[in-house]
Amino acid sequence: MKTKGQKILLLITLLTFMMGYSQVKVSGRVTFKNKGISEVNVTLKDTYDGTTTDAQGNFSFETSEKGERKIVFTHPKYEETEKSVNIENQDITISADLKEQINEIDAVVVSAGSIEASDKKRATALLSPIDIYTTAGADGQITSALTYLPGVQKVGGTEGLFIRGGTGTESKIFMDGSLINNYFSNSVPGIAGRDQFNTSLFKGNIFSSGGYSALYGQALSGVLMLESVDLPDQTSYNIGVSPIFLNAGFQKLGEQKNYSYGASAGYSLLSLMQNVFHFNTDFIDAPQGLNSDFNFRFKTKSGGFFKYYGMYNSNKMGVKTESLEPGYDFELVRLKGSSSYHNLSFRQKFGKYLLNVGGSYSYNRSDLNFSTETNDIESNRSRLLTDGNYINFKAVLERKINRISAVRGGFELNNTDEKLNFGEVQKHYKDLISAAFVETDLGFSNALSAKIGLRAEHSSYLGQNNIAPRFAIAYRLAENWTTSLAYGLFYQNPESKYINGPANLDFQKSQHYVLQIQRSSEGRSLRLEAFYKKYDQLVKTYNILPGKQQSQQVQTALNNDGYGFAKGLELFWKDKKTFKDIDYWLTYSYLDSKRDFLNYPVSLKPEFAAEHTFSAVVKKFIPEWKFGANLSYTYAKGRPYYDIASEFNDGKAVNYTRHEGRLKDYNALNLSFNYLPNIGKKGAKAFPIFVLSITNILGSKNVYGYNFSVDGSRSSAIVPPVNTFVFVGAFISFGVDKTEDAINNNL
């Protein structure tokens, strides 16, 4: 037995020696741009032999395989690489230099001037519908919520996005690529129109305050690109009730989940609140409105997708103010407005190509009646009637080159047909703006990308052409730090409301330079941005006065001799991580701007540009209480104001300043509460959200500007309709628990 055991032991020893003798050592180093890469998997193909690299990129393993073999190097951030080796009886040394794997998520993207809330994996800052609804003081309006982001001025008194020293009409709003020509409701002088589009309609948005894409044009300052929702998750019904409005709607999803349709309707009336609060504005006809919309979405068998949205809104109001003119007690203005919008879009993939086609039709009618009242007797009314029809069509064809590189091109048509009747001023304005564009996204690596575009336009009214290059580049400085630089040339037609007589006009022009540094990590985002805008060929006007009220003044275009600039610095900090269940963001903007345009006699600081603006938004959600509290605050340095008049010398219009000054600083603290009783309740069929919001809770008496009499001897402040406003309401959805979004977004 001992001899047999010794033989077995000897055999085992011999076999072990032979196996060890046949093992070959494979070693080397894996690098990227001459720097070692750790955590690279190094394996002999079709075997279990291999290892991973150390911190310096070195590796070593042994194998008993023989002959022609391949070694595979794999890492999530680098392209897989194979190396051929011939294994015999000698150790092998082999090295590999890997190429970076271009990845859509890891790659740096150009974000100079843009805040995106579309693809959450790549967004620089999110402003989702939940964010908007839970921002105190935003009133559920997208454009109001944007005033809490850097670059947008809190102006009041008139609607529009006032971006970095630009007027409200120098920004444009698009839905699924198509222009919305009547995004805001009709209103009267001194009161801003409201958003006409339901915030819940949109799943995401890209807000660009400068250097935007060549796919868009006719905006000197910036654009807001809204993306409507696709198919809903399931059928749902909802109602909203408050002392101000009543609305209801539904979304029906098909059984095969390949189509849906929905509709909503609402009615609003402010008269009840007039009896509760002290309004600064004397509404002789309380603001009221009727709104309705319809939508359908359909997915084809080949993967195409149709979306249609249509809306109709009507509103009316009447305002009475103390007259600034001698011989009159009061001035009255009454409004009847109506508008409709229709948008049809289609997208379809054809192999490596993506086709997006869309068209929209807008109709807007504003019927204003001006009169005076003396000794309780109203004068005859003068009527300002405007009708506008707008058609927009755009087609874009895109081809992907790789995951982050693409080239796209297309064309756009924008037709305007407007009629105005105001006493002696009557006009019929027509213009067809045709445009062609091409743009490419170039991803050189995960750390470097660029966007290059070119847009060309022709205006039938002006009889002029333009060519606008756009360029942007982004580079990753470190793991969480990126920088972007953007440049662009932008053109815009003169506003048709100033074209009330013969004038030799051209496109208005601006140049944008935007530099951004950004740090993004999970739950936190920091953006620092510097910009410079140069304006040329701005419209110059003079005042004509068809009636006897200052509010009836009409400015008429003279030429394109205006110019200006805007420069500044902006900071944006958003944090959802530091404090439990608290989401907050802070913004600061510094703006230095001057313009010689419209009826300005010389280069002046614009009336809509505050030098310093600060905003803070804080949201706290307490899951145990099913309760959310939201706070917002805005401060803006007092803006300048002017009283500018026109006179004629030797038949030439001359503008001059009669009065000028600076408004008091703007302050507003807003507070809102949300209670969601059915969060987490099993078997619940209804999901209500109760809302209480208080706007300007401290009652700050803010001033938006001043009106002056025709001769400049008297003035009155333009103020908000009410200093402090309280809103209470209930929103109930059936079929879909929307409150889960509130939890996920930390109400």
Side-chain angles (χ1 to χ4, degrees), residues 534-640:
K534 184 177 183 293
Y535 293 95
D536 292 296
Q537 300 174 198
L538 297 179
V539 168
K540 292 289 294 180
T541 66
Y542 67 95
N543 296 349
I544 60 175
L545 190 66
K548 296 182 179 180
Q549 298 180 42
Q550 189 272 351
S551 59
Q552 293 175 261
Q553 283 190 343
V554 174
Q555 296 188 46
T556 297
L558 280 169
N559 51 51
N560 282 94
D561 292 344
Y563 60 91
F565 74 87
K567 59 184 178 181
L569 298 169
E570 296 171 354
L571 180 146
F572 176 74
W573 167 253
K574 185 175 175 65
D575 183 6
K576 297 178 66 173
K577 186 177 181 180
T578 303
F579 306 103
K580 184 180 179 182
D581 298 326
I582 290 182
D583 176 13
Y584 74 94
W585 72 76
L586 307 172
T587 69
Y588 168 75
S589 300
Y590 167 73
L591 174 64
D592 179 18
S593 179
K594 276 192 173 182
R595 284 188 173 206
D596 182 4
F597 84 130
L598 297 184
N599 62 350
Y600 283 23
V602 294
S603 180
L604 299 170
K605 289 185 178 293
E607 297 169 286
F608 43 81
E611 291 176 311
H612 303 280
T613 305
F614 171 79
S615 293
V617 175
V618 183
K619 303 177 183 183
K620 169 70 175 178
F621 187 71
I622 307 173
E624 313 85 70
W625 297 357
K626 306 176 181 181
F627 179 81
N630 314 299
L631 189 73
S632 70
Y633 172 74
T634 297
Y635 165 84
K637 182 71 175 177
R639 305 191 311 271

Side-chain angles (χ1 to χ4, degrees), residues 110-114 164 208-212 221 471-473 483-488 490 511-517 527-533 568 570:
V110 175
S111 58
S114 296
R164 291 180 172 172
S208 177
S209 53
Y212 58 86
S221 291
F471 172 78
I473 189 168
T483 183
S484 297
L485 177 66
Y487 166 80
F490 304 87
Q511 295 182 67
H512 295 196
Y513 302 85
V514 185
L515 173 64
Q516 179 199 100
I517 297 176
R527 291 162 52 94
L528 299 170
E529 204 156 87
F531 66 90
Y532 177 78
K533 290 198 293 185
E570 296 171 354

Side-chain angles (χ1 to χ4, degrees), residues 237-239 676-690 731-739:
Y237 304 87
N238 61 82
I239 61 172
L676 300 82
N678 283 1
I679 284 183
K681 184 179 291 186
K682 294 183 178 180
K685 297 181 179 180
F687 303 95
I689 302 177
F690 299 98
F731 303 88
I732 307 172
S733 60
F734 303 88
V736 174
D737 185 1
K738 295 182 179 180
T739 59

Side-chain angles (χ1 to χ4, degrees), residues 391-680:
I391 299 174
N392 180 263
F393 178 82
K394 181 185 287 186
V396 183
L397 184 64
E398 177 178 319
R399 188 188 190 281
K400 279 279 191 180
I401 300 173
N402 56 40
R403 291 188 179 182
I404 62 170
S405 295
V407 61
R408 63 187 68 88
F411 67 94
E412 181 178 10
L413 301 173
N414 191 32
N415 187 75
T416 299
D417 188 334
E418 295 177 338
K419 294 181 180 179
L420 180 144
N421 190 328
F422 188 27
E424 298 178 0
V425 179
Q426 298 186 27
K427 71 175 182 184
H428 187 185
Y429 175 82
K430 289 185 176 182
D431 187 25
L432 174 63
I433 299 175
S434 50
F437 49 83
V438 63
E439 181 179 81
T440 180
D441 295 331
L442 300 174
F444 302 106
S445 70
N446 284 343
L448 181 65
S449 66
K451 185 187 292 286
I452 303 173
L454 187 70
R455 184 181 181 90
E457 295 178 334
H458 172 77
S459 167
S460 65
Y461 177 83
L462 298 176
Q464 300 286 344
N465 304 305
N466 70 59
I467 297 179
R470 316 274 171 85
F471 172 78
I473 189 168
Y475 179 70
R476 188 187 304 280
L477 300 171
E479 183 178 0
N480 295 322
W481 289 89
T482 61
T483 183
S484 297
L485 177 66
Y487 166 80
L489 195 58
F490 304 87
Y491 291 93
Q492 186 172 352
N493 277 39
E495 285 184 68
S496 60
K497 69 179 182 179
Y498 299 129
I499 304 176
N500 300 307
N504 184 22
L505 299 176
D506 202 342
F507 293 104
Q508 302 178 101
K509 182 171 68 173
S510 69
Q511 295 182 67
H512 295 196
Y513 302 85
V514 185
L515 173 64
Q516 179 199 100
I517 297 176
Q518 176 177 288
R519 186 185 189 279
S520 295
S521 59
E522 185 178 356
R524 296 190 182 104
S525 180
L526 172 68
R527 291 162 52 94
L528 299 170
E529 204 156 87
F531 66 90
Y532 177 78
K533 290 198 293 185
K534 184 177 183 293
Y535 293 95
D536 292 296
Q537 300 174 198
L538 297 179
V539 168
K540 292 289 294 180
T541 66
Y542 67 95
N543 296 349
I544 60 175
L545 190 66
K548 296 182 179 180
Q549 298 180 42
Q550 189 272 351
S551 59
Q552 293 175 261
Q553 283 190 343
V554 174
Q555 296 188 46
T556 297
L558 280 169
N559 51 51
N560 282 94
D561 292 344
Y563 60 91
F565 74 87
K567 59 184 178 181
L569 298 169
E570 296 171 354
L571 180 146
F572 176 74
W573 167 253
K574 185 175 175 65
D575 183 6
K576 297 178 66 173
K577 186 177 181 180
T578 303
F579 306 103
K580 184 180 179 182
D581 298 326
I582 290 182
D583 176 13
Y584 74 94
W585 72 76
L586 307 172
T587 69
Y588 168 75
S589 300
Y590 167 73
L591 174 64
D592 179 18
S593 179
K594 276 192 173 182
R595 284 188 173 206
D596 182 4
F597 84 130
L598 297 184
N599 62 350
Y600 283 23
V602 294
S603 180
L604 299 170
K605 289 185 178 293
E607 297 169 286
F608 43 81
E611 291 176 311
H612 303 280
T613 305
F614 171 79
S615 293
V617 175
V618 183
K619 303 177 183 183
K620 169 70 175 178
F621 187 71
I622 307 173
E624 313 85 70
W625 297 357
K626 306 176 181 181
F627 179 81
N630 314 299
L631 189 73
S632 70
Y633 172 74
T634 297
Y635 165 84
K637 182 71 175 177
R639 305 191 311 271
Y641 68 86
Y642 308 102
D643 173 26
I644 299 174
S646 300
E647 63 180 22
F648 286 84
N649 291 330
D650 298 328
K652 183 179 180 180
V654 177
N655 298 323
Y656 63 97
T657 303
R658 293 185 300 201
H659 303 93
E660 64 179 294
R662 184 174 289 274
L663 303 176
K664 62 180 292 189
D665 294 353
Y666 178 92
N667 287 275
L669 179 66
N670 311 296
L671 184 64
S672 69
F673 302 99
N674 313 86
Y675 176 56
L676 300 82
N678 283 1
I679 284 183

